[in-house]
Amino acid sequence: MSSESDPLLLEISDLQVEGFSEDQWHEIVKGVDLTLKRGEVLGLIGESGAGKSTIGMAAMGYAKPGCRIKGGSIKFNGIELTTASEEEKRKLRGSRIAYVAQSAAASFNPAHKIINQFSETVIHHGLGNRKQAYADAKELYRRLKMPEPDQIGFRYPHQVSGGQLQRAMTAMALSCRPDLIIFDEPTTALDVTTQIEVLVTIRDIVRQYNTAAIYISHDLAIVAQMADRIKVLRYGDSVEESATRDMLSNPRENYTKTLWAVRTFKKTVKPPDPQPAALVKVDDITATYPGASLPVLSNVSLEIQRGETVAIVGESGSGKSTLAKVITGLLPQDKGQILYEGVGLSSKYRDRSSYHLQKIQMIYQMADTAMNPRHRVRDILGRPLKFFLNLRGNEKEKRLRELMEMIELDPDKFLDRLPSELSGGEKQRVCIARAIAAQPSFIICDEVTSALDQLVAEGILRLLDRLQQELNLGYMFITHDIATVNAIADKVVVMLQGQVVDQGAKDEVFAPPQHEYTKLLLTSVPEMDPEWMDRVLAERAAKGGMKAAGY
Amino acid sequence: MNKMRFAWNEFNKAPLTAKIGLLIIVVYVFVAIFAPLIAPFGESEIVGRKYLPWSNEFLLGTDNLGRDMFTRIVYGARNTVGIALITTLLAFSLGGIFGIFAAVMGGWTELVLSRVVDILMAIPSLIFSMLLLTIFGTSVISLILIIGVLDSTRVYRLARATSLNIVVMDYIDVARLRGEKIGWIIINEILPNISAPLVAEFGIRFCFVFLTISSLSFLGLGIQPPTADWGGMVRDTADLITFDDYTPLIPAAAIAILTIGVNFVVDWFLQKTSGLKDEL
Amino acid sequence: MKPTDKLLSRLNNAEVSRRDFLKKASALGIAGALPGALLSTNAVAAKPKRGGHLRIALAGGSTGDSLDPTRLTSPHINFLYYTTHAQLTEVLPNGELSPYLAESYEYGKDASEWIFKLRKGAEFHNGKTITADDVIASLDRHRGEDSASQMKSFMQEIISLKKDGDSTVIIKLQNPNVDFPTILSAPTLGILPSTNGKVEDFTVGSGAYMLEKFEPGQRSLVKRNPNFFFPDRGYVDSAEILTIADSTARQNALVTGAVDVIGDVPAATADLLARNAKIKVLDVTGMMHDTFPMLTNQAPLDNNHVRMALKLSIDREEVLEKILSGHGMVGNDHPISPVNRFFNTELEQRVYDPEKAKWHLKQAGLSKLKIKLSVSDSVYAGAVDTAVLYSEQAKKSGIEITPNRVPADGYWKDVWLKHPWCVSNWSGRPTEDWMFTQAYAATSNWNETLWKNDRFNELLVAARAELEDSKRRDMYYEMQRLVRDDGGSVVHLFANHITAYNENVGVPSKVAGNWEFDGFKMVERWWLNS
Amino acid sequence: MSNILRILFQRLALGLFTLFIVSLIIFMGITLLPGDAAEAMLGQSATPDTVAALRVQLGLDLPPHTRYFNWLLGALQGDFGTSVGSGQQISSLIGTRFANTLFLAIFAATIAVPLALILGILAALYRSSVYDRVVNVVTLASISMPEFFISYILILFVSVKAGWLPSLANVQTGVPFLVRLEMTLLPALALTLMSVAHMMRMTRASIINLLANPYIEMATLKGIKKARIITHHALPNAWAPIVNVIVLNLAYLIVGVVVVEVVFVYPGLGQLLVDSVQRRDLPVVQAACLIFAATYILLNLFADIISIVTNPRLLNPK
């Protein structure tokens, strides 16, 4: 793309950023160097807390509220941003350097039409009038392959799907034809089948306009599709940097290798039960949300046995989380029945016996919202012990410590902490311990690893697996991530639009995929291969377009 | 001991306004508790001629009956702050509990409660309290109960609205699925999480109680004499202001300073809990 | 030199303070005549001028006011009725009764028959000539069984109302009453036009001014009646009577020139107001008095020693100073004012005496007394403060008085005549008989102390029929003594009517004290200088 | 739009129900009060005889439920009866006074609302600055003063000392508009002082709250000026909470101004209501309370509609 002789567009050296929390300044970025040429795409990769977003924003001379750029130099086009005035920086932002945020839904102002948010940048920077901006917006929407490019801009953000919004935001970033765009995890919030399409359009348009970009992600496979060069970050420090192909074929640092660790974990395969007896049976369930006219689940049936993991796979809106709500009794079904050990459960949790409430537990995706932020770990775990098992005093304390050891956390250190004082992985472990505390036989795991970094997620999966072995638990594992399914499932249920489209033993369903949709899902998962995206597109084009199939 | 040290650390780190606010509150509370020891005279004792100027003997002069103004202000702290505090606490307990209850229960319970609150709020509150005070008499207890109940409608709305955000959290589902009783959920799961907006409202509501009482005493329905209360003291001497006599400014300032102090602390608390960092 | 003149000269030479002056003057029984005297220096030379628009603000008046004389009570209406409606008689500034719409009146064979001759050619505002029929219809409305009039009990004394020709009315009473013509000067007994014996229009009267506009609780607008039967009275062309309930608002209105005259100036701020060079404050000793009535049939108040102890435990001087800032005079535990004709000048003034009070308590077999005093500031401004002050003073006699503030609302129904001890206030009555009959007679509905003293009640009836003044005087003297030493009321203060006006307002040399605003007749009697 | 219409109808129906309950509560309240209109009117001069006579005249001798149903029947036909005290038609008695009350409230609101918004926006923009702190303290001090006291102070300085404005606001029908404005400016200012703090604080809080949203950061990163971010990106999304507070304060301006009316001798509905409660003038109390309740309900409805109209999510469903 770019020749070696080009002057550097962006040159960051020894960047230090601090954040203020708990009444003092902490280093977030600890002296990172970074260079970028015109038209070049640099991938920044790392786990949460690596400082990748902070560096991305610092490239615009911006630090989030509560953060400050403490030292180093940021030169954009020869302008030193660390010493530039607010006004100088403001004039660069949006026009010369643009930003594409992770959640387009949150980053578009809900009060204004999409196209007006596009034109605002152009008009505000004095680069055109409204009419010109509208025309340009439509042109860019067209190039980004958005449906109805002439009309879609006149909708409000909430009227447009996540994938389209992400494209609209890319268009907005391009509105002033900037020299540099910062993409901050632009596809993380998207479904896997949508993700690939957005990735393609982003890559193409960046190439078309020869715009330089910094592409930030936690997913190496995605970065591999987008970037010419990749830089790995950890704890605000640079780990290694090299050209994409070199990085994939020959990672130098151990840490880089661990970034795709989850793909190496495989559950210990158990021989199938000679006399299968369903622990939980979901029998022909149809359910509708109050006030809605269409059912969100239709005729769903499945079975989970003791000691077995059934993965429910599907994209957002497929009804997989709703199924969890029906099983727990939070959403009464219209039709069908939930059976536990052959006994029909009442459709409302309020009418269920304490025994059944105790035996069916749930672990949630967002450990943050699953734990009361005002309760300490001791209370969070202690309550089910007291409530279900009536443990008090020393007995309770003993059991608390046992639980903490089961989830591999030091009781002395962690028992008296608040959730906000735990890391993401630790939170999820505590949630697991809370479920275990009730001595259940069936646990619903709703996207329990989706919010976690890969290494941490792997730890959680291992823990769940170990607990299953020890306690002979049945898991219903809800996830959208095929890799996770591969790692942990015995059986797989594929859901689409409230219906089960495919189910069976993991190998029956996946190897090779039989159902069209299952196939689409599997092929949409990014692979550690810079050619993957082009390959998949070529395959799909050959087949006449999977999208046309209506998924 | 740990907690004391923690509190002290927190205090040290507090912004200046919060320190001032805390200082004001501490002084007021101290004065309220030790009123009989601080005040040089009895609460209603007549010590001299009326409207004596400030002097060494009568720090803030005397009032319209020749009672020591400083003494009245000191006792006023006890009565006014005490009554306002109890009233506000009552309003918050009632409004808070029903508000959260409505949010947790949803459905008919919420509908009925909200309707009742709407009806209570639709009746002009000053008139309503006038009616009720006339029916039930103007003892301190009925004053507290009536203002407390009428004020609780506003707290109800706030508590319900904020609880609705909490009720959708997964940890509420966890508690429900454990089979916890509504009361437990309200107190242990929801209340701690809506305390920030409630406290903010508390700061304002607390001060409004003074004003309500003083408005009521304007209509002749305030606190019983000779009990010293600031609102009533402003009322008693208010017309002097037209003659360039600033006596009524003393109790008025007592209220204003407390209002400002309380809200300084509330602002600080909000800043701490909301995590919203002002640009430093 | 008469004692009055001597005092006045000392006042002018600044030898005595105004308050001392008033105190001494009241002891001399001349306070009623004082206001005029006090003003004489600056008002005597002024000659009334015609013309102008006079704006007056008073405290009383409510949005529920009605012009129906059988339904009204508020000061605003009383004021208005004295301005627009003519009564048969009027009380002159010097306290004497004089014929008004009546040309003359006389009693028949005794005081149970009264003959009123109407003024010839007197007309209503609408041009209709006033006849005996109008008088009969107007008075009749108050005495029917279904009447809800304040004057009902007096009017029911009438056993027949007859006319003798078009301009003579003969009234026969059940019992003789020498003071009956005074009763007919009551504002609500203004004569209204009638057809076929029925009163029809309340807005039309025959007074010095005609009603232009009436907005209940807000204002009344009147303009001069060119055909008034006293052609020389009524100086201003028009006047406006405003109700401004809040005292500060009234004072501000005067200070900013929005009104010319205000009434009910709070005693506490009257002197502050007087500092303003453009504002004059007029103090009129009247008949208005504050009382603490005790129900004499309830223990321990049924014991006169207890009552005496309470009467001795109030420091009237301090109350006068602190509550009224000296704008008034101390009371002597009976309701008769120095303005009244038969004010007992021989009675010794009761003073604060905790020791004597203790002695009385002892006589009642008590070493100390705890008692609740129900008060409301709606009775009169400062009532609550007075009670608080009283309770402090009474501590010295070993009496613990707990002031109990009750709602203004429903005071006269639920507290007065119900609570053993409460606060009350009387605007006073122009005659001793009227006052005693309403508030102290055993048979009265308003006997606020439920006091039943046989000698007193005998004297009351006898005095009514007594035509000889000196004998009546002796009787009223004795009655005052009885009320003072045995009655159930602490009558501690007579409050002045404090009126303030701007310098442009002309004031006659003598101002009536029976009501405020020159006996509510100021629109007819006062003027504007430019 | 159908969305709004549906809510409108639903709320109006609920509002009518609320009004009915309010009328019932007021009726019971007044009936429970010690003393009735006859006793209240006669006051100190009441005798059992005259009270009984007046009761018959006023129709108070009927049992309570009969009186209530008579009233309700009349009210349903638009006849709210006559004042017990003055015998005036309720409509004529209340009409001008309610118009006065509305006038004052609207006048005060036209000063207070923009002022509160501007102060609040500036405070959010320059938060933690000296300006922010000063405004905070001043507004807190102003709301902690009793209403009558603020009014007295205003009168002292503006009216008595400076002589700029009249201290009396006793407007009458037929007063020219400009004179009316002049007469009511002072009470309007007093009301402004009392309501501006609350609205201003809410505006500030709502906007600061919104500033934490990703789209505000996005706007910053688009190089939008700070002032425009506040006015174009934060404010449009803050309308719902702000309008709620404005409505609450409007309700206060209409309903809660008894004290200000007394001090400025303004012939509004509040003073009439207090008078009528004291006089047990049930028809007037009923009518006034219902007007107030209806105002409150309509204002809330208005707030809901504003929050729908300013929220594209609700206005333009998917």
Side-chain angles (χ1 to χ4, degrees), chain D residues 116-169:
Chain D
L117 288 183
I118 291 168
L119 288 178
I121 289 171
L122 287 177
L125 199 53
Y126 301 108
R127 65 180 185 276
S128 299
S129 69
V130 176
Y131 163 81
D132 184 23
R133 283 166 212 270
V134 168
V135 168
N136 193 20
V137 170
V138 169
T139 49
L140 279 175
S142 81
I143 49 169
S144 54
M145 297 273 181
E147 304 160 314
F148 56 85
F149 194 60
I150 285 202
S151 309
Y152 287 165
I153 292 178
L154 272 182
I155 291 176
L156 173 67
F157 288 106
V158 181
S159 193
V160 174
K161 292 208 161 171
W164 292 329
L165 292 169
S167 70
L168 284 189

Side-chain angles (χ1 to χ4, degrees), chain B:
Chain B
M1 275 325 285
N2 239 341
K3 283 198 169 164
M4 287 294 289
R5 172 156 298 178
F6 176 75
W8 179 243
N9 281 339
E10 286 296 304
F11 176 74
N12 271 332
K13 284 181 291 191
L16 184 63
T17 49
K19 284 181 182 159
I20 295 173
L22 277 172
L23 186 72
I24 292 171
I25 293 171
V26 166
V27 168
Y28 273 62
V29 169
F30 180 82
V31 167
I33 292 173
F34 297 105
L37 299 178
I38 297 167
F41 302 100
E43 180 173 2
S44 60
E45 187 183 344
I46 286 152
V47 294
R49 293 170 58 85
K50 63 178 185 176
Y51 296 134
L52 287 175
W54 296 13
S55 67
N56 283 336
E57 194 186 359
F58 309 118
L59 283 177
L60 299 174
T62 57
D63 71 356
N64 57 332
L65 291 183
R67 296 172 293 199
D68 181 44
M69 200 70 182
F70 177 68
T71 305
R72 302 282 291 166
I73 290 284
V74 167
Y75 275 98
R78 168 177 273 198
N79 303 323
T80 320
V81 177
I83 289 172
L85 194 66
I86 297 171
T87 310
T88 323
L89 285 178
L90 175 72
F92 273 76
S93 324
L94 271 180
I97 288 172
F98 280 111
I100 303 172
F101 184 69
V104 177
M105 295 302 291
W108 277 103
T109 320
E110 187 182 11
L111 204 68
V112 169
L113 279 173
S114 297
R115 212 93 296 276
V116 168
V117 164
D118 265 9
I119 289 168
L120 286 183
M121 288 182 88
I123 302 174
S125 65
L126 196 64
I127 297 300
F128 207 16
S129 32
M130 236 179 92
L131 271 180
L132 294 174
L133 280 171
T134 315
I135 295 173
F136 298 111
T138 52
S139 67
V140 170
I141 294 187
S142 54
L143 199 69
I144 289 174
L145 284 177
I146 289 164
I147 300 179
V149 169
L150 291 184
D151 250 15
S152 70
T153 53
R154 280 157 219 285
V155 183
Y156 168 90
R157 276 168 67 128
L158 181 70
R160 179 181 154 269
T162 46
S163 304
L164 283 176
N165 294 329
I166 303 295
V167 167
V168 297
M169 292 287 176
D170 290 337
Y171 57 85
I172 302 298
D173 280 351
V174 171
R176 285 186 209 254
L177 290 178
R178 207 186 296 138
E180 297 282 5
K181 298 216 163 52
I182 294 293
W184 195 91
I185 293 181
I186 290 177
I187 292 168
N188 289 284
E189 301 286 357
I190 299 181
L191 199 55
N193 289 298
I194 60 165
S195 56
L198 283 185
V199 164
E201 185 73 3
F202 191 95
I204 292 279
R205 284 277 136 221
F206 177 67
C207 306
F208 280 178
V209 173
F210 297 109
L211 303 185
T212 310
I213 292 177
S214 112
S215 281
L216 284 173
S217 61
F218 189 86
L219 299 171
L221 292 164
I223 292 173
Q224 286 281 0
T227 310
D229 86 280
W230 296 333
M233 287 168 76
V234 178
R235 172 63 204 143
D236 288 346
T237 50
D239 44 359
L240 289 179
I241 196 81
T242 8
F243 299 102
D244 271 353
D245 184 323
Y246 298 109
T247 313
L249 283 180
I250 300 169
I255 300 176
I257 290 171
L258 182 59
T259 309
I260 292 166
V262 167
N263 282 286
F264 274 172
V265 175
V266 164
D267 286 347
W268 173 49
F269 176 82
L270 283 185
Q271 214 178 67
K272 279 187 70 67
T273 51
S274 69
L276 180 75
K277 298 276 186 247
D278 281 352
E279 285 156 75
L280 295 159

